[in-house]
Amino acid sequence: MKVSLNWLKQYLNLDGLSPEKVGEILTDIGLEVESIERTESIKGGLAGVVVGHVVEREKHPNADKLSVTKVDIGTGSLLNIVCGAPNVAAGQKVLVATVGTTLYPSEGDPITLKKGKIRGEDSEGMICAEDELGLGHDHAGIMVLPSDTPVGQSAKDYFNLEEDHLIEIGLTPNRSDATNHLGVARDLAAALKINYGHDGEVCVPEVSNFKVDNHSLPIEVSVENTEACPRYSGVVIKGIKVGESPDWLKRRLQAVDVRSINNLVDVTNFVLHELGQPLHAFDLDEITGRKVIVKTLPAGSKFLSLDEVERSLNAEDLMICDGDSNGMCIGGVFGGFKSGVKDSTANIFLEAAHFSPTYIRRSSMRHNLRTDAAKVFEKGSDPNVTVFALKRAALLIQELAGGEIASEIIDIYPTPVAPKQIKVTYAYVNMLLGVQLSPAEVQGILTAQGMSIVETDELAFTVAVPTNKVEVTRPADIAEEILRIYGFNRVEISDKFSISAGLAPQPDPSVVRNAIGDFLAAAGFNEIMAVSLSQSRYYSQAFKSISDEELVYINNTSNVQLDIMRPDMLISGLEAIVHNQNRQQMRLRLFEFGKVYRMKEGKINEKAQLSLYLTGDRYGKSWLMKSPFEGESNKTPYFTLKGYVQNVLARLGYEGYQETVLESDERFAYGVQYHRGPQTLVTFGRVSGGIAKELGVRNEVYTAVFEWDTLLKILRKQNVTYQEVSKFPSTSRDLALIIENSVKFNDIAAIARKVGKKLIKDITLFDVYENEQQLGAGKRSYAVSYLFEDAEKTLEDKEVDKVMNQLIGEYETKLGALIRR
């Protein structure tokens, strides 16, 4: 939020306080100042520009369109200045930019003046036009000032230019009371009174002279949705004249980066930033039936907004409608094209309302209209300031645009909101704050903030919280309000500190996670951290096996597209890949620790997972690597992923898991699952082309999903063991099997482990051969190597032969294999 220091000074005496000190105090009371920027109403502040008197003017001897002038700027000597303006004449009072001055014209780059010659004549400055000073766009001639203007007066003083400081505050959502200059001034005044001896007086705008001039333009207002609009106030002003705003109003709005439009709209923006109450002005003559209805319209209704965009309304969008139920404005968010104020507008209906933050937030995000008014309503506006704001705005409009108050103030407020009363004990406040404040100090701080003490005794007090502090609802909130003004920095740090011993779980999940994260990072992976939100549309289009009943829906008002907690990690990983590919990062190795969420038997089931993603080339570009590779592709193969998966499991110490090929899984074009009985450890493979295409992924993607909760659970029960390297030699035997294509290497390995479980230490597939003419249709040859070893003795050939014969028998019987001898 932007705050103008000069604007603050309208309500609070800040004499003697530097902008930096004001920023320090604001930060101390919870309004964190992110920056303080010195600003000027005219860039450069017209430094070096003074009032001059043209004493002489002669035609330039070497140029028809130039003049040579002598100008008095009050220094005791005349300046020789060459001027090209057609209207320059002797006797004029003009604005002169002296040598060394930097000008910031309305268009173009800055100009620094130097002494020089123009067509042979010396020139010691410049007589300026309006656009050359950045005061406007007129370049027809130099600016001529009144004849009584003092010579030598600075342009800054002549134009009464204002220097200001723009304070940028990082306003937190709980500070609805500080969304405006008067709110910030009140908070600042409380701190100054308690800690700096200030009188704490805040000058609130005066509205006592507001009066209804006549009742010539009465209007009817009806509020049909009081949940969305608890209070609606308005008044009619007739006979106004829309025009340009005065300089003081332009300066106030310009200071907080609000563009001046006209005197009427500028007043509504001024009151918004002054009081924190959004206002809206309707062209009364465009309100059909001279009736205003606050209601919701059927879903799909069309509304032409002020930016000339036709929007399709949601059934929850609160609309301000005319007598025929035509939408004139999305309440609290954005105005309509037809009913807005125009140059020809003569009569207006001025609205000040209190809208439900929930309705405003949803509509604002739904239509992507992040207006200043919507941001105020989202935090919670003060329901009891609407009439005051109307009077303040109406008086300013009459002052700047004329007109008469032509109706009574309409105020529909069926359920008035009273200040909340909260009872708090002094002991509770001191316990939370860590300091010992007397009852008088507590009451003084609260009173300085505009909170009245309703009841009090030796032990407790009851405080009435103003309705602009919507987030102050509990005793803890009262303690926080006291501490903000008392000062966080005044709370002493105790010399004592307490520690407690805790028993970490074994194994410690964070240690295991860090170990695997370090392992993957060392292998060239980068960690990603995606949001745990996703879009339900993906699971109605891509993941049809995940039913709608399993999805965990959320009410996400900040982004309506992200409407579910992610039921898997694949989509968020693919989105990260697309994000990187769109930035020319094609070779990616990514991993993420995260959680997935599904509904199960009416409850949310939350699981932790680790996912890996590989896409792009297997090797990066290097002079060591020639492309194309001899006999191989540089694309990342499935077996690269498989190697990483097995290495992760090995790093965790897992052995003896089973492998199952995925027959049908919509996530994978092909894939494998490692498991221990019914417990899945990891599922991995190549991502289905349909899913990748849906998200816009450009290359093949390989992914692995580890069931992290399951891995940790098994790890707790797993004992660490070690084994001596065998002192006895190992031996190997090879076997070539002709089998059906449907038989997998996993089937061959499983039989070998069962038959030779005591002696076979390793099984390796080292060749696959296919040739229909030699082997037959649907056949292939697997060449398998078996490593034999006995930890207690040297194996004899007959022992190895016995196991091999058993293997051959099993392969022939169970797999229908033909052994190549």
Side-chain angles (χ1 to χ4, degrees), residues 145-339:
L145 308 181
S147 58
D148 59 351
T149 308
V151 172
Q153 182 182 24
S154 70
K156 178 180 179 181
D157 292 339
Y158 176 79
F159 289 108
N160 195 24
L161 296 186
E162 190 176 82
E163 183 181 287
D164 198 359
H165 287 82
L166 182 63
I167 303 174
E168 183 87 29
I169 293 176
L171 194 65
T172 52
N174 65 322
R175 294 306 309 276
S176 58
D177 59 317
T179 57
N180 55 88
H181 282 76
L182 193 56
V184 172
R186 284 172 171 150
D187 226 30
L188 185 57
L192 291 173
K193 181 176 183 179
I194 297 301
N195 300 316
Y196 296 90
H198 194 278
D199 60 14
E201 291 298 321
V202 177
C203 181
V204 179
E206 182 60 57
V207 297
S208 59
N209 55 344
F210 173 88
K211 65 182 180 64
V212 177
D213 297 308
N214 55 66
H215 299 84
S216 57
L217 291 176
I219 190 168
E220 182 183 352
V221 176
S222 170
V223 179
E224 295 185 7
N225 189 336
T226 54
E227 177 191 1
C229 180
R231 186 175 191 181
Y232 192 89
S233 308
V235 70
V236 172
I237 307 174
K238 77 169 188 178
I240 63 169
K241 185 173 182 179
V242 177
E244 190 175 356
S245 295
D247 289 341
W248 72 264
L249 181 52
K250 288 180 181 178
R251 284 197 300 268
R252 289 288 172 262
L253 297 179
Q254 182 184 356
V256 292
D257 290 345
V258 176
R259 182 173 60 90
S260 174
I261 297 174
N262 57 53
N263 51 5
L264 200 61
V265 175
D266 289 355
V267 164
T268 62
N269 285 328
F270 176 83
V271 173
L272 166 63
H273 289 275
E274 178 184 57
L275 303 178
Q277 173 59 55
L279 302 171
H280 191 77
F282 298 93
D283 189 326
L284 183 68
D285 298 325
E286 298 289 348
I287 301 178
T288 306
R290 204 170 290 170
K291 181 177 182 181
V292 173
I293 307 172
V294 183
K295 60 189 292 188
T296 53
L297 295 175
S301 299
K302 301 302 179 184
F303 170 69
L304 184 63
S305 54
L306 193 60
D307 55 0
E308 299 186 56
V309 174
E310 186 176 73
R311 304 179 186 275
S312 182
L313 299 177
N314 184 278
E316 288 189 352
D317 289 331
L318 184 68
M319 301 298 296
I320 313 300
C321 304
D322 62 17
D324 291 338
S325 293
N326 297 314
M328 299 188 297
C329 172
I330 303 177
V333 179
F334 208 57
F337 179 73
K338 185 179 179 183
S339 62

Side-chain angles (χ1 to χ4, degrees), residues 124-139:
E124 301 172 294
M126 176 175 161
I127 304 175
C128 301
E130 181 181 283
D131 65 330
E132 292 166 335
L133 295 172
L135 295 170
H137 297 278
D138 186 3
H139 193 68

Side-chain angles (χ1 to χ4, degrees), residues 747-761:
D747 302 326
I748 297 171
I751 292 174
R753 292 191 188 97
K754 184 176 181 182
V755 171
K757 58 184 177 181
K758 292 184 178 180
L759 300 180
I760 296 178
K761 300 303 179 185

Side-chain angles (χ1 to χ4, degrees), residues 765-784:
L765 176 66
F766 65 87
D767 186 48
V768 178
Y769 177 69
E770 293 182 352
N771 189 315
E772 285 193 11
Q773 292 181 350
Q774 295 182 10
L775 303 179
K779 300 281 188 179
R780 66 173 56 154
S781 173
Y782 278 174
V784 184

